[in-house]
Amino acid sequence: MSTTVNHAPLLTRPEIVREPVRGQPAEVQKPISAWESVYRIGFLRKGFILLVLAVIWEIYGRWLDNPLLFPAFSETVEALISNLLNGIIPARALISLQTLAIGYAIGVGLAALLTVLAIGSRIGTDLLETLTAMFNPLPAIALLPLALIWFGLGTGSVIFVLVHSVLWAIALNTHAGFRAVSKTLKMVGLNYGLRNIGLVRDILIPAAFPSILTGLKVGWAFAWRTLIAAELVFGVSSGSGGLGWFIFENRNQLETANVFAGLFFVILIGLFVENVIFATIEKRTIRRWGMQS
């Protein structure tokens, strides 16, 4: 018995050779345009925003045509330059900044003390949490009547409300930053023999500095607002001459352009502190340590 095996023909795929298309080499890094180069500069972007706001201010002021109610931007700048040249605004700003520096420094010192106590013991944590829950929601301006009774008319009362406005914001952010530090870093510090103040100085503060800096910014903003508001009251009571008193005095004299000039100078100081002083601290610490891109 014979078996016949039929072999199917083998199918072969034809070889296809494609020659690569020779084109222009791709750009690994495309150069950016001049517009994109300018757009990447944060200072110029913010300056453009301020310019647009100034133009809107100027247009609205000229359309309203009532300098007593709302002076134009050019009139405000003219009043600002006049008061800068005669030395009134610089002298008033110096008084305000000196008072602010004292209150801010005291508030930072007390916040540091409370935070160190909170990190060192549970009773310290309970103390900080209880005090912040009680006093942080309390507006600093609400303490003005008590400040008048306790410290009388003058700088002491203003410093008291400044300390209140600074203390709790900085303490809360610093304590939150310390608690967010990983246990691994703390154990490394302990293995190197760091204890108490040394551990806080060399481990906790660098690791929690982003939160600390945020607290310093928030405390500064609260203090600056509180100072101007307090001077509006205490300036009338005791004749102390800060920027708040300059604004109030010109409001009584219906010098609206000078009032806007004083407010505009308050804004300029705030922009300088935020975009120059705090930005420099951030670049030298947070970004340099690789904590922020």
Side-chain angles (χ1 to χ4, degrees):
M1 183 175 181
S2 63
T3 303
T4 303
V5 179
N6 296 326
H7 296 280
L10 297 177
L11 298 177
T12 59
R13 187 179 66 180
E15 294 292 337
I16 299 176
V17 179
R18 299 183 184 274
E19 293 293 334
V21 179
R22 302 295 180 181
Q24 296 295 330
E27 293 180 343
V28 178
Q29 184 175 3
K30 183 179 180 181
I32 62 176
S33 63
W35 166 250
E36 290 175 335
S37 300
V38 173
Y39 183 77
R40 292 187 178 188
I41 302 176
F43 176 79
L44 294 180
R45 294 198 307 269
K46 294 178 182 179
F48 177 75
I49 294 174
L50 294 177
L51 179 62
V52 172
L53 293 177
V55 171
I56 296 174
W57 182 352
E58 180 71 19
I59 293 174
Y60 179 74
R62 290 185 179 275
W63 175 79
L64 191 62
D65 195 21
N66 188 350
L68 185 63
L69 181 63
F70 192 90
F73 179 76
S74 57
E75 296 171 341
T76 301
V77 172
E78 182 180 353
L80 176 62
I81 294 175
S82 176
N83 285 281
L84 286 174
L85 293 177
N86 60 27
I88 295 179
I89 284 185
R92 300 296 179 85
L94 181 61
I95 294 175
S96 296
L97 291 176
Q98 287 176 343
T99 306
L100 177 66
I102 297 173
Y104 192 78
I106 296 175
V108 170
L110 291 176
L113 179 61
L114 285 176
T115 308
V116 171
L117 290 176
I119 291 298
S121 62
R122 290 186 177 181
I123 189 65
T125 301
D126 294 338
L127 175 64
L128 178 60
E129 292 178 351
T130 302
L131 291 179
T132 52
M134 291 171 56
F135 295 112
N136 191 41
L138 184 64
I141 202 69
L143 297 177
L144 289 177
L146 289 177
L148 281 171
I149 296 173
W150 293 343
F151 302 98
L153 304 177
T155 306
S157 299
V158 179
I159 292 176
F160 175 77
V161 295
L162 285 178
V163 171
H164 172 78
S165 62
V166 171
L167 174 59
W168 310 116
I170 297 179
L172 277 176
N173 282 273
T174 304
H175 187 243
F178 284 172
R179 295 181 65 178
V181 177
S182 66
K183 293 183 178 180
T184 302
L185 285 177
K186 296 179 182 178
M187 293 176 65
V188 169
L190 294 175
N191 289 335
Y192 274 94
L194 297 177
R195 297 292 187 275
N196 301 327
I197 301 299
L199 182 65
V200 172
R201 182 187 66 245
D202 297 333
I203 300 296
L204 296 183
I205 291 180
F209 198 76
S211 297
I212 297 174
L213 186 60
T214 300
L216 292 174
K217 288 182 180 180
V218 174
W220 144 257
F222 285 172
W224 188 229
R225 292 187 306 180
T226 301
L227 174 65
I228 301 302
E231 285 181 343
L232 288 171
V233 176
F234 288 100
V236 177
S237 301
S238 61
S240 60
L243 278 174
W245 172 239
F246 173 82
I247 295 170
F248 188 87
E249 186 180 32
N250 283 277
R251 196 270 296 181
N252 286 340
Q253 297 173 1
L254 298 180
E255 296 288 346
T256 311
N258 288 339
V259 172
F260 273 74
L263 293 173
F264 190 59
F265 197 72
V266 170
I267 294 174
L268 290 178
I269 293 178
L271 290 174
F272 176 80
V273 172
E274 180 72 22
N275 295 286
V276 176
I277 296 179
F278 281 119
T280 302
I281 296 174
E282 184 177 356
K283 290 179 181 179
R284 292 180 178 271
T285 55
I286 297 177
R287 295 182 182 176
R288 183 178 179 183
W289 296 339
M291 298 179 183
Q292 181 176 331
S293 58

PDB file of all heavy atoms in Angstrom, residues 186-200:
ATOM      1  N   LYS A 186      14.365  63.772  59.943  1.00  0.00           N
ATOM      2  CA  LYS A 186      14.520  63.963  61.387  1.00  0.00           C
ATOM      3  C   LYS A 186      15.446  62.904  61.986  1.00  0.00           C
ATOM      4  O   LYS A 186      16.292  63.220  62.831  1.00  0.00           O
ATOM      5  CB  LYS A 186      13.151  63.922  62.068  1.00  0.00           C
ATOM      6  CG  LYS A 186      12.214  65.041  61.651  1.00  0.00           C
ATOM      7  CD  LYS A 186      10.867  64.903  62.350  1.00  0.00           C
ATOM      8  CE  LYS A 186       9.900  65.984  61.907  1.00  0.00           C
ATOM      9  NZ  LYS A 186       8.557  65.851  62.538  1.00  0.00           N
ATOM     10  N   MET A 187      15.281  61.661  61.553  1.00  0.00           N
ATOM     11  CA  MET A 187      16.134  60.589  62.073  1.00  0.00           C
ATOM     12  C   MET A 187      17.587  60.775  61.654  1.00  0.00           C
ATOM     13  O   MET A 187      18.512  60.478  62.422  1.00  0.00           O
ATOM     14  CB  MET A 187      15.614  59.233  61.590  1.00  0.00           C
ATOM     15  CG  MET A 187      14.265  58.848  62.177  1.00  0.00           C
ATOM     16  SD  MET A 187      13.624  57.293  61.511  1.00  0.00           S
ATOM     17  CE  MET A 187      14.863  56.169  62.132  1.00  0.00           C
ATOM     18  N   VAL A 188      17.802  61.293  60.442  1.00  0.00           N
ATOM     19  CA  VAL A 188      19.169  61.578  60.010  1.00  0.00           C
ATOM     20  C   VAL A 188      19.795  62.618  60.923  1.00  0.00           C
ATOM     21  O   VAL A 188      20.958  62.491  61.351  1.00  0.00           O
ATOM     22  CB  VAL A 188      19.177  62.052  58.545  1.00  0.00           C
ATOM     23  CG1 VAL A 188      20.547  62.610  58.171  1.00  0.00           C
ATOM     24  CG2 VAL A 188      18.809  60.906  57.623  1.00  0.00           C
ATOM     25  N   GLY A 189      19.028  63.663  61.229  1.00  0.00           N
ATOM     26  CA  GLY A 189      19.541  64.680  62.136  1.00  0.00           C
ATOM     27  C   GLY A 189      19.843  64.131  63.510  1.00  0.00           C
ATOM     28  O   GLY A 189      20.869  64.473  64.124  1.00  0.00           O
ATOM     29  N   LEU A 190      18.973  63.275  64.018  1.00  0.00           N
ATOM     30  CA  LEU A 190      19.213  62.671  65.330  1.00  0.00           C
ATOM     31  C   LEU A 190      20.445  61.770  65.310  1.00  0.00           C
ATOM     32  O   LEU A 190      21.213  61.733  66.279  1.00  0.00           O
ATOM     33  CB  LEU A 190      17.979  61.878  65.763  1.00  0.00           C
ATOM     34  CG  LEU A 190      16.708  62.695  66.039  1.00  0.00           C
ATOM     35  CD1 LEU A 190      15.531  61.776  66.328  1.00  0.00           C
ATOM     36  CD2 LEU A 190      16.934  63.646  67.222  1.00  0.00           C
ATOM     37  N   ASN A 191      20.643  61.050  64.205  1.00  0.00           N
ATOM     38  CA  ASN A 191      21.828  60.197  64.105  1.00  0.00           C
ATOM     39  C   ASN A 191      23.122  61.002  64.087  1.00  0.00           C
ATOM     40  O   ASN A 191      24.175  60.501  64.489  1.00  0.00           O
ATOM     41  CB  ASN A 191      21.745  59.331  62.847  1.00  0.00           C
ATOM     42  CG  ASN A 191      20.679  58.253  62.958  1.00  0.00           C
ATOM     43  OD1 ASN A 191      20.315  57.838  64.053  1.00  0.00           O
ATOM     44  ND2 ASN A 191      20.154  57.815  61.820  1.00  0.00           N
ATOM     45  N   TYR A 192      23.040  62.229  63.600  1.00  0.00           N
ATOM     46  CA  TYR A 192      24.214  63.100  63.600  1.00  0.00           C
ATOM     47  C   TYR A 192      24.374  63.852  64.922  1.00  0.00           C
ATOM     48  O   TYR A 192      25.231  64.727  65.036  1.00  0.00           O
ATOM     49  CB  TYR A 192      24.135  64.097  62.456  1.00  0.00           C
ATOM     50  CG  TYR A 192      24.675  63.563  61.152  1.00  0.00           C
ATOM     51  CD1 TYR A 192      23.824  62.979  60.218  1.00  0.00           C
ATOM     52  CD2 TYR A 192      26.029  63.641  60.860  1.00  0.00           C
ATOM     53  CE1 TYR A 192      24.307  62.477  59.025  1.00  0.00           C
ATOM     54  CE2 TYR A 192      26.524  63.146  59.665  1.00  0.00           C
ATOM     55  CZ  TYR A 192      25.660  62.563  58.739  1.00  0.00           C
ATOM     56  OH  TYR A 192      26.151  62.080  57.572  1.00  0.00           O
ATOM     57  N   GLY A 193      23.542  63.534  65.882  1.00  0.00           N
ATOM     58  CA  GLY A 193      23.670  64.147  67.194  1.00  0.00           C
ATOM     59  C   GLY A 193      22.974  65.476  67.347  1.00  0.00           C
ATOM     60  O   GLY A 193      23.226  66.192  68.329  1.00  0.00           O
ATOM     61  N   LEU A 194      22.091  65.830  66.429  1.00  0.00           N
ATOM     62  CA  LEU A 194      21.383  67.102  66.531  1.00  0.00           C
ATOM     63  C   LEU A 194      20.206  66.953  67.487  1.00  0.00           C
ATOM     64  O   LEU A 194      19.432  66.010  67.396  1.00  0.00           O
ATOM     65  CB  LEU A 194      20.887  67.542  65.149  1.00  0.00           C
ATOM     66  CG  LEU A 194      21.970  67.824  64.101  1.00  0.00           C
ATOM     67  CD1 LEU A 194      21.336  68.167  62.767  1.00  0.00           C
ATOM     68  CD2 LEU A 194      22.883  68.960  64.564  1.00  0.00           C
ATOM     69  N   ARG A 195      20.070  67.899  68.373  1.00  0.00           N
ATOM     70  CA  ARG A 195      18.980  67.884  69.343  1.00  0.00           C
ATOM     71  C   ARG A 195      18.426  69.299  69.493  1.00  0.00           C
ATOM     72  O   ARG A 195      19.139  70.293  69.322  1.00  0.00           O
ATOM     73  CB  ARG A 195      19.461  67.392  70.721  1.00  0.00           C
ATOM     74  CG  ARG A 195      19.976  65.969  70.749  1.00  0.00           C
ATOM     75  CD  ARG A 195      18.875  64.949  70.521  1.00  0.00           C
ATOM     76  NE  ARG A 195      19.359  63.581  70.712  1.00  0.00           N
ATOM     77  CZ  ARG A 195      19.957  62.864  69.787  1.00  0.00           C
ATOM     78  NH1 ARG A 195      20.178  63.395  68.585  1.00  0.00           N
ATOM     79  NH2 ARG A 195      20.355  61.625  70.027  1.00  0.00           N
ATOM     80  N   ASN A 196      17.132  69.387  69.789  1.00  0.00           N
ATOM     81  CA  ASN A 196      16.476  70.643  70.132  1.00  0.00           C
ATOM     82  C   ASN A 196      16.750  71.737  69.096  1.00  0.00           C
ATOM     83  O   ASN A 196      16.364  71.628  67.949  1.00  0.00           O
ATOM     84  CB  ASN A 196      16.881  71.073  71.535  1.00  0.00           C
ATOM     85  CG  ASN A 196      16.528  70.032  72.580  1.00  0.00           C
ATOM     86  OD1 ASN A 196      15.524  69.330  72.448  1.00  0.00           O
ATOM     87  ND2 ASN A 196      17.353  69.894  73.605  1.00  0.00           N
ATOM     88  N   ILE A 197      17.431  72.810  69.511  1.00  0.00           N
ATOM     89  CA  ILE A 197      17.661  73.961  68.637  1.00  0.00           C
ATOM     90  C   ILE A 197      18.490  73.571  67.417  1.00  0.00           C
ATOM     91  O   ILE A 197      18.240  74.047  66.296  1.00  0.00           O
ATOM     92  CB  ILE A 197      18.355  75.101  69.408  1.00  0.00           C
ATOM     93  CG1 ILE A 197      17.493  75.542  70.600  1.00  0.00           C
ATOM     94  CG2 ILE A 197      18.600  76.293  68.483  1.00  0.00           C
ATOM     95  CD1 ILE A 197      16.132  76.066  70.222  1.00  0.00           C
ATOM     96  N   GLY A 198      19.475  72.711  67.602  1.00  0.00           N
ATOM     97  CA  GLY A 198      20.284  72.271  66.473  1.00  0.00           C
ATOM     98  C   GLY A 198      19.469  71.537  65.425  1.00  0.00           C
ATOM     99  O   GLY A 198      19.661  71.729  64.218  1.00  0.00           O
ATOM    100  N   LEU A 199      18.552  70.691  65.871  1.00  0.00           N
ATOM    101  CA  LEU A 199      17.698  69.960  64.943  1.00  0.00           C
ATOM    102  C   LEU A 199      16.784  70.917  64.188  1.00  0.00           C
ATOM    103  O   LEU A 199      16.578  70.769  62.976  1.00  0.00           O
ATOM    104  CB  LEU A 199      16.872  68.923  65.708  1.00  0.00           C
ATOM    105  CG  LEU A 199      15.957  68.026  64.872  1.00  0.00           C
ATOM    106  CD1 LEU A 199      16.775  67.133  63.954  1.00  0.00           C
ATOM    107  CD2 LEU A 199      15.059  67.190  65.779  1.00  0.00           C
ATOM    108  N   VAL A 200      16.242  71.896  64.895  1.00  0.00           N
ATOM    109  CA  VAL A 200      15.364  72.873  64.243  1.00  0.00           C
ATOM    110  C   VAL A 200      16.144  73.713  63.246  1.00  0.00           C
ATOM    111  O   VAL A 200      15.705  73.951  62.111  1.00  0.00           O
ATOM    112  CB  VAL A 200      14.695  73.776  65.307  1.00  0.00           C
ATOM    113  CG1 VAL A 200      13.928  74.920  64.636  1.00  0.00           C
ATOM    114  CG2 VAL A 200      13.767  72.959  66.189  1.00  0.00           C
TER     115      VAL A 200
END
